[in-house]
Amino acid sequence: MKRFQGQAAGYWLAAAGFVCAWTILCWPWLSGAVTIPFDAKAHFQAQIQFLAQALHSGQSPFWTHNVFGGSPQVADPQSLIFSPAIILALLSPSPSFRMVDAYVLAHLLAGGLAFLMFFRDRNWHPAGGLLAALVFAFGASAAWRVQHVGQIASLAFFAIAFWLTARMLQRSSMLSGALAGLAAGLMVLEPDQVALLGAYILVGMVVAHWLSGGWPAVRASLAPATVASLAGLAVILLPLVWTWLFAEATTRPAVDLVEAGRGSLHPASLLTAFVADLFGARDPAVDFWGPYSPGWNASELFLSQNMGQVYVGALPLLLLIAPGLSRGWLWDRAIRPLTVLFALMVLFALGRYTPFFHLAYEYLPGVKAFRRPADATFLIGALGAVLSGYLLHRILSETEAGSLRRDLGFAAAAVAGLVGVALVVSNREGHLIDAWWPSLSAVLWFLAAALVVLVLTHRRRTVAPLASILLVTGVVGADLGVNNGPNESTALPPQLYDILRPETKNETVAALKSLLAQPPGSPRRDRVELLGMGFEWPNAGMVHGFDHTLGYNPLRLADFSDAVGTRDSIAGPDQRKFTPLFPSYRCRMADLLGLRYIATRVPIGQVDHALKPDDLKLVAFTKDGYIYENPRALPRVQFVGGWQLADFDGMKTAGQWPDTDPQQVVLLDTVPPDAVPEGPVVTQAEVKLTRYGNTNVEISVSTDKPGFIVLNDIWHPWWRAELDGVEVDILKANVLFRAVQVPAGRHKVSFNFRPVEGALAELRDRVEPPEAEEPPLLVEPRVASTPGAVSRPSAPADGSWHESRGHEPAPPSTLVQ
């Protein structure tokens, strides 16, 4: 009883020690001195800001107009809508960098505490639980890839689900099963490869429990496991359906084996488990020279330098070697399944370098959806934390363990050999001078770890929990703080991302906002393109409320990408991808998009060689670069009298537009519901854009003839339209956009984003495909028989159209003639 009470008190001390260590190690970010850079700002800060602004303005965050011509946020696994970030968004309309950084780092705190609870449930030594918590939070990818906010969240929920799943199996608890299902559901709610692998580990835990315990174990845990499955399914079902349907329509519904293999962890990166900064990833005075750098044939592997860092600390690694391997303690019944899973994660991370990943790619559901087997390094760190913590527990709990000097000698030989390999590799690459200090430093940290093991071994009966906790916290915390602490991959000055603050004074942002301003009711909502402005710029529209034709996201609707040309980002001018339908900024697609302003760091002619001197007008020059105007950009909403059938897929391939005036003829891929003759029609119509929200657009129109309201927003099957309160069809128009047929008179047209209704309809069509219609007979443009119809001269070869009234944009209440 006294021992149990001592262990309980020890866990309170361990928790306090972990919280103190977390606060100290995270203080550079918590204080605001530095901020988590790269994806955490360029992508996720913008996502959280959009979410917060939507909620505080009374709008839905389920759709954004601000990137890629429009995108379904509700289905984007990186939108953070179904994550705890929504709490942060509810608390503030403008979450600061410090708030977002604290939110990210809090995940590591929660995951570490969950590991402590896992150890407590087994009555293992609290110092072992503390070691596991520290390694989980500050080892391997948890430290080096903290900018990958979604994967950090998945890792934290994995730790929580891991603890609760183990408790469910240990206690046959229905409540623990329900909570484990909830945590696992939150882990995969915004799916990534960490969540996928975490789910397989949880399944492996259950299977291992059944195999070791036989039928009694199956019978005792079957009901809780069923409850866990139902709870998880309830959490994830609808969001995952949305994500699946969205992914199917994007540029990346699956990743082929060769492409996935380029995200493999190079075997040489495993040396960073022993020599933390072997390749100079942390030292700003050393140019990174390891795998993924030009000297290692970087075209074969597509990883950044921080993705190959797997250092978990000298003490954990020493314990894995001795006594983990030297005495076979890694094969103890209590942790044997975790040892197997740890080895499988290492093999998976190595990707193309072992046959295992190929087998996983072919036979494990979900693996084909992700592109980096190296993401398994998150789980390597987590499982390594549990294994090393257990080994420390055994050292502190064994009464007959004897001396570990022979084991430490074995470990010393292993470490010396591996450090020697590191020096050989560095010498081969011509970087021996850069590797000697990291190698010496590694030896010193392993000596400190060996000293800790010796002290704890010889004094195991007299060292109080407080002393062991202080010793582990001090040594491991210092080790991970020095070797995995703030660096150029994880901590940069906040000023570098100033343009992602809503209150920024950046003159380019201010100039664009001024140029884009329109009076109430204007049919215009001009788009911009931020061409090669820098890594932090592509999603700035989500922060400042303007619409960027491109953006930063690995998932983009394929229809839009095929027509306009997109990549994951547009950080540099060389990343602008032109297409047959968008061969230049002087083209009809640019005009239809309403792409009126292009901001670029370099003269536009260096990017678009097809432009003529007068095609674009330079309207501003800032310290960031140039702002050009496209005077032919059309309004966001138009009234068009005539229509014509067109083959959109053929147009995207060939890049050819019919010889029509987009202000008199809308191109459709189906015959409109109310049959009217094809051809151009001259009309007089007044169009006003009365409301333009995230998921609701309202338009008023007054017209003397029937025709079409054309909304130059991307067509998507989850949008619905109403004409004077009655639901009507949305026609796909001009390759990408939306149109609604409208009779003569005064009317109100509204577009509403309804993802539940839309997804169910899409699923129904997949189960019971509608009967295929006869392909439309495409004919040459002709004069419509409608009174007032006129023929038009041919459009220019590039597909653009000069209005006869000149190049000035249409006034707020457009009169189309």
Side-chain angles (χ1 to χ4, degrees):
M1 179 62 70
K2 288 182 179 179
R3 181 185 177 191
F4 176 79
Q5 291 173 344
Q7 292 282 68
Y11 269 98
W12 283 107
L13 293 173
F18 174 61
V19 171
C20 289
W22 177 86
T23 303
I24 293 170
L25 294 177
C26 293
W27 187 249
W29 295 276
L30 298 177
S31 68
V34 295
T35 193
I36 304 174
F38 302 115
D39 284 14
K41 291 296 168 288
H43 186 51
F44 292 104
Q45 181 76 32
Q47 296 284 351
I48 291 178
Q49 185 60 55
F50 173 81
L51 180 60
Q53 289 176 342
L55 296 175
H56 284 268
S57 63
Q59 296 194 68
S60 166
F62 285 1
W63 180 274
T64 180
H65 302 284
N66 304 136
V67 291
F68 298 117
S71 185
Q73 291 286 97
V74 71
D76 188 339
Q78 296 183 337
S79 69
L80 303 179
I81 290 175
F82 301 107
S83 76
I86 198 166
I87 299 174
L88 186 63
L90 287 168
L91 291 174
S92 172
S94 180
S96 67
F97 291 177
R98 288 176 66 183
M99 291 176 67
V100 175
D101 289 352
Y103 158 78
V104 176
L105 296 170
H107 284 84
L108 300 178
L109 177 65
L113 291 173
F115 270 18
L116 270 170
M117 291 299 297
F118 173 80
F119 274 66
R120 183 179 183 274
D121 284 351
R122 278 151 182 73
N123 201 28
W124 292 349
H125 198 285
L130 173 62
L131 177 62
L134 288 170
V135 174
F136 169 84
F138 302 105
S141 289
W144 280 93
R145 295 179 60 183
V146 70
Q147 65 271 38
H148 294 159
V149 174
Q151 291 178 314
I152 291 293
S154 296
L155 182 67
F157 283 114
F158 163 74
I160 297 170
F162 179 89
W163 159 51
L164 291 169
T165 300
R167 173 175 280 198
M168 173 194 75
L169 297 173
Q170 182 182 17
R171 303 182 180 183
S172 299
S173 167
M174 303 287 280
L175 176 60
S176 295
L179 293 175
L182 176 63
L186 290 172
M187 177 183 70
V188 302
L189 198 54
E190 296 190 336
D192 53 47
Q193 190 148 237
V194 175
L196 176 70
L197 296 176
Y200 279 124
I201 289 174
L202 297 179
V203 172
M205 290 173 62
V206 175
V207 171
H209 177 76
W210 288 349
L211 291 176
S212 64
W215 174 243
V218 175
R219 185 173 57 232
S221 60
L222 190 58
T226 302
V227 170
S229 300
L230 293 175
L233 191 62
V235 172
I236 68 174
L237 182 58
L238 185 56
L240 280 192
V241 167
W242 279 329
T243 297
W244 172 63
L245 292 174
F246 175 48
E248 289 285 300
T250 67
T251 55
R252 207 180 74 183
V255 179
D256 64 55
L257 181 61
V258 174
E259 180 66 20
R262 292 193 175 104
S264 302
L265 185 74
H266 194 285
S269 291
L270 294 177
L271 291 171
T272 64
F274 301 90
V275 183
D277 197 27
L278 173 63
F279 301 117
R282 190 172 187 276
D283 188 349
V286 176
D287 290 333
F288 179 75
W289 59 271
Y292 333 115
S293 67
W296 290 66
N297 194 3
S299 62
E300 292 297 317
L301 296 174
F302 295 154
L303 294 178
S304 56
Q305 64 186 45
N306 60 308
M307 293 181 181
Q309 298 296 115
V310 292
Y311 188 71
V312 295
L315 179 59
L317 195 60
L318 182 66
L319 292 171
L320 292 175
I321 298 172
L325 290 175
S326 64
R327 296 198 175 190
W329 287 2
L330 282 172
W331 206 242
D332 283 1
R333 181 185 178 91
I335 59 166
R336 189 179 305 163
L338 301 183
T339 300
V340 173
L341 291 168
F342 176 82
L344 292 177
M345 288 300 104
V346 173
L347 292 174
F348 187 96
L350 291 173
R352 62 192 291 181
Y353 296 102
T354 75
F356 178 73
F357 177 72
H358 192 175
L359 293 172
Y361 180 89
E362 294 295 341
Y363 299 110
L364 280 184
V367 174
K368 292 182 179 180
F370 303 104
R371 59 180 173 176
R372 276 194 303 259
D375 289 345
T377 52
F378 282 96
L379 286 311
I380 291 172
L383 293 175
V386 177
L387 295 174
S388 61
Y390 169 80
L391 295 170
L392 182 60
H393 149 72
R394 277 211 61 179
I395 288 176
L396 292 171
S397 303
E398 289 285 326
T399 57
E400 304 296 332
S403 173
L404 289 176
R405 290 184 178 180
R406 179 176 297 181
D407 302 270
L408 291 177
F410 171 76
V415 170
L418 289 164
V419 171
V421 171
L423 291 173
V424 170
V425 170
S426 62
N427 184 59
R428 186 195 68 185
E429 297 297 322
H431 286 273
L432 183 61
I433 193 171
D434 295 324
W436 76 267
W437 170 247
S439 299
L440 177 60
S441 176
V443 171
L444 295 175
W445 282 112
F446 275 105
L447 287 175
L451 183 60
V452 170
V453 172
L454 287 173
V455 170
L456 293 178
T457 302
H458 287 285
R459 302 290 182 180
R460 69 168 64 92
R461 296 181 181 178
T462 59
V463 173
L466 176 59
S468 61
I469 286 167
L470 289 175
L471 187 60
V472 170
T473 302
V475 174
V476 177
D479 182 3
L480 295 176
V482 168
N483 291 300
N484 286 359
N487 58 77
E488 62 184 1
S489 294
T490 61
L492 291 176
Q495 295 78 10
L496 294 177
Y497 298 94
D498 176 68
I499 63 110
L500 295 174
R501 292 186 170 109
E503 67 277 10
T504 182
K505 304 298 182 183
N506 180 273
E507 60 178 318
T508 303
V509 172
L512 288 172
K513 286 183 175 180
S514 177
L515 290 167
L516 292 167
Q518 295 289 338
S522 170
R524 302 198 69 88
R525 184 180 167 96
D526 297 313
R527 285 190 169 93
V528 304
E529 186 161 308
L530 305 171
L531 174 60
M533 296 291 287
F535 184 80
E536 67 274 20
W537 279 84
N539 284 351
M542 301 184 75
V543 175
H544 300 292
F546 54 73
D547 299 345
H548 184 197
T549 52
L550 304 177
Y552 178 32
N553 200 320
L555 294 179
R556 293 94 58 199
L557 290 170
D559 206 21
F560 183 84
S561 185
D562 293 343
V564 177
T566 69
R567 292 182 177 175
D568 284 7
S569 185
I570 186 70
D574 59 321
Q575 292 178 303
R576 192 30 166 125
K577 175 185 175 183
F578 292 108
T579 68
L581 212 57
F582 197 118
S584 163
Y585 290 109
R586 176 68 167 82
C587 70
R588 184 182 293 193
M589 180 55 75
D591 298 346
L592 290 169
L593 279 167
L595 176 52
R596 190 170 175 187
Y597 299 105
I598 300 106
T600 173
R601 288 198 183 276
V602 300
I604 194 70
Q606 293 184 15
V607 179
D608 186 352
H609 303 292
L611 285 175
K612 297 177 181 178
D614 296 332
D615 286 342
L616 301 179
K617 177 184 177 183
L618 181 64
V619 294
F621 180 77
T622 71
K623 65 180 182 180
D624 298 310
Y626 309 82
I627 300 178
Y628 295 90
E629 180 183 12
N630 170 21
R632 297 165 300 280
L634 294 170
R636 184 64 59 93
V637 61
Q638 302 169 262
F639 185 84
V640 178
W643 68 281
Q644 180 177 316
L645 284 173
D647 175 9
F648 292 163
D649 289 336
M651 290 172 62
K652 284 189 290 185
T653 301
Q656 295 295 319
W657 291 85
D659 292 342
T660 56
D661 179 351
Q663 298 193 76
Q664 292 191 8
V665 174
V666 60
L667 303 178
L668 305 175
D669 61 354
T670 59
V671 177
D674 298 329
V676 293
E678 286 185 78
V681 175
V682 175
T683 64
Q684 289 189 341
E686 183 181 29
V687 181
K688 290 185 178 181
L689 189 56
T690 57
R691 174 179 171 78
Y692 195 88
N694 293 337
T695 58
N696 173 252
V697 178
E698 295 179 357
I699 301 159
S700 66
V701 57
S702 179
T703 172
D704 62 332
K705 295 174 184 173
F708 302 85
I709 281 290
V710 179
L711 179 62
N712 288 320
D713 280 339
I714 190 168
W715 183 92
H716 191 275
W718 300 350
W719 280 88
R720 297 292 183 266
E722 293 180 355
L723 175 65
D724 299 327
V726 178
E727 186 165 332
V728 292
D729 292 336
I730 299 179
L731 306 173
K732 193 172 186 180
N734 294 334
V735 181
L736 290 179
F737 308 110
R738 312 176 205 161
V740 167
Q741 197 167 14
V742 176
R746 187 177 297 275
H747 304 282
K748 176 183 175 181
V749 179
S750 62
F751 293 85
N752 300 286
F753 184 61
R754 295 176 181 164
V756 175
E757 178 184 336
L760 290 176
E762 193 171 350
L763 287 173
R764 185 171 58 249
D765 289 344
R766 288 174 181 243
V767 174
E768 299 179 3
E771 293 184 7
E773 299 180 359
E774 290 293 327
L777 179 63
L778 302 183
V779 297
E780 292 296 321
R782 63 181 186 275
V783 177
S785 58
T786 305
V790 297
S791 61
R792 296 286 293 181
S794 298
D798 63 5
S800 63
W801 190 271
H802 290 273
E803 295 180 31
S804 59
R805 294 186 299 276
H807 302 304
E808 291 302 316
S813 296
T814 307
L815 184 64
V816 184
Q817 295 182 350

